[in-house]
Amino acid sequence: MNNLQIALFFLIGIVSSILFHISVASVVSTGNFNKDFYVLWSPTHVNTSADGHTRTLKLDQQSGAGFASNQMFLFGQIDMQIKLVPGDSAGTVLAYYMASDQPNRDEIDFEFLGNMSEQPYILQTNIYADGFGNREERIYLWFDPTKDFHTYSVLWNLHQIVFMVDSIPIRVYRNHGDKGVPFPRRQPMSLEATLWNGDSWATRGGQDKIDWTKGPFIASFRNYNIDACVWKGNPRFCRVASHVNWWNLNNFSTLTSPQRRWFKWVRKYHMIYDYCQDNERFQNNLPQEWSLPKY
């Protein structure tokens, strides 16, 4: 074998190795809760169908419950169909979120705040970056989320984080790291869901407590999809743009025109709180991102 053949053989090996790592970087979930998730606490309050395709969490006076993904991810898109706690759910909190395991944690949160019967459900979103949160936004959902399943999604890439409800973008958090705004981009995160007692704050600032006679409180999950970069210890493979890591492609670096129209509709007709407009809370020193573009 001459020097040219050796060099060519060596180059093919390097390319094959890179392609292999890229190909295993993304996972499409199995759809089986028993295979993709483990129970965080209170297994007696977690019920999974025989085929593993549906799961419920229960909250009563003894305990809440939760589950988390076996894998951790750095960028991608997650989708979960959820049916929220029906009836008088005041004081309950269903959290569906991504979270890192570091002290200066990153988080991408959906929090569904329980309500009195016949009142609209509040969806709160929040983002932690480098251990700091305080980035809450709240909307009223434009449908009854207890009657049927709806899809709640997060698209997370190097450019933006997009929260979606039934594919409608309700919040965008753009990467303005070049301007000093923290953005989750280094820490891998797991996908978690928990149901717990938050009646010290969740409903009307803690005025409405949980009525345990209305329990147990049940939230249901199904048809999840995790299409994300599985953390293998090297962020390089998660940051590459490819047909596998499709979320990093330029097409997903900002909202499309139709998405922008839906986003404006949500914020005009359904938003009830935006931390970037809370001068009293921040004593007229709003976070830097309030003045920066969202797309």
Side-chain angles (χ1 to χ4, degrees):
M1 183 179 289
N2 59 38
N3 289 341
L4 179 60
Q5 288 173 318
I6 293 173
L8 183 60
F9 181 80
F10 183 69
L11 179 61
I12 291 173
I14 293 175
V15 171
S16 298
S17 175
I18 291 173
L19 290 176
F20 171 77
H21 281 290
I22 291 174
S23 69
V24 300
S26 177
V27 61
V28 177
S29 46
T30 68
N32 188 324
F33 282 96
N34 291 323
K35 292 182 178 180
D36 291 334
F37 296 90
Y38 66 94
V39 175
L40 283 169
W41 86 92
S42 194
T44 59
H45 288 56
V46 180
N47 185 52
T48 308
S49 63
D51 61 8
H53 292 170
T54 61
R55 173 167 284 183
T56 61
L57 295 180
K58 179 173 73 172
L59 169 66
D60 57 23
Q61 284 182 285
Q62 281 67 52
S63 181
F67 59 86
S69 61
N70 295 323
Q71 301 275 13
M72 301 191 79
F73 313 98
L74 186 65
F75 308 126
Q77 180 164 320
I78 61 168
D79 310 281
M80 182 84 75
Q81 288 191 349
I82 305 174
K83 183 161 65 173
L84 301 186
V85 176
D88 185 346
S89 58
T92 68
V93 176
L94 175 65
Y96 158 63
Y97 57 102
M98 301 189 74
S100 69
D101 60 359
Q102 301 301 310
N104 59 327
R105 73 186 190 279
D106 290 344
E107 279 190 19
I108 303 171
D109 300 343
F110 282 96
E111 292 175 317
F112 302 93
L113 310 183
N115 62 346
M116 303 290 286
S117 295
E118 308 303 326
Q119 298 298 311
Y121 241 100
I122 292 175
L123 168 54
Q124 174 172 284
T125 58
N126 197 4
I127 292 172
Y128 281 76
D130 297 328
F132 294 96
N134 295 330
R135 298 181 177 91
E136 299 92 346
E137 292 185 3
R138 291 184 176 187
I139 66 168
Y140 281 134
L141 292 171
W142 52 92
F143 52 84
D144 185 344
T146 71
K147 298 297 185 185
D148 202 353
F149 287 88
H150 292 266
T151 303
Y152 303 90
S153 308
V154 169
L155 171 66
W156 172 35
N157 58 36
L158 279 169
H159 309 285
Q160 60 179 352
I161 297 169
V162 184
F163 295 78
M164 291 173 280
V165 177
D166 293 334
S167 298
I168 294 175
I170 64 164
R171 179 175 185 176
V172 180
Y173 185 78
R174 191 140 195 87
N175 185 353
H176 289 295
D178 58 336
K179 297 178 177 63
V181 179
F183 184 86
R185 57 195 171 103
R186 295 186 180 91
Q187 299 183 42
M189 295 193 257
S190 60
L191 173 60
E192 305 182 19
T194 57
L195 178 61
W196 40 280
N197 178 356
D199 70 4
S200 64
W201 65 275
T203 309
R204 294 204 306 141
Q207 296 181 58
D208 296 329
K209 304 299 183 180
I210 292 181
D211 182 352
W212 294 110
T213 66
K214 302 294 176 60
F217 304 97
I218 307 291
S220 304
F221 306 81
R222 72 178 189 189
N223 292 350
Y224 67 89
N225 186 67
I226 304 171
D227 195 355
C229 184
V230 179
W231 179 248
K232 301 293 186 181
N234 189 339
R236 174 164 70 96
F237 298 117
C238 294
R239 291 173 178 159
V240 67
S242 69
H243 71 283
V244 176
N245 291 358
W246 56 265
W247 49 85
N248 287 330
L249 296 173
N250 189 59
N251 293 352
F252 302 95
S253 64
T254 190
L255 296 185
T256 65
S257 294
Q259 284 180 320
R260 293 181 188 188
R261 289 194 291 271
W262 279 115
F263 177 67
K264 291 176 181 178
W265 173 79
V266 170
R267 298 182 78 80
K268 181 176 180 179
Y269 294 106
H270 300 282
M271 172 165 277
I272 56 175
Y273 177 79
D274 180 357
Y275 75 106
C276 279
Q277 298 179 11
D278 195 340
N279 278 294
E280 181 178 355
R281 175 185 180 184
F282 292 101
Q283 300 180 342
N284 293 318
N285 186 25
L286 291 172
Q288 185 179 355
E289 60 262 32
W290 79 271
S291 63
L292 298 173
K294 296 186 181 297
Y295 45 77

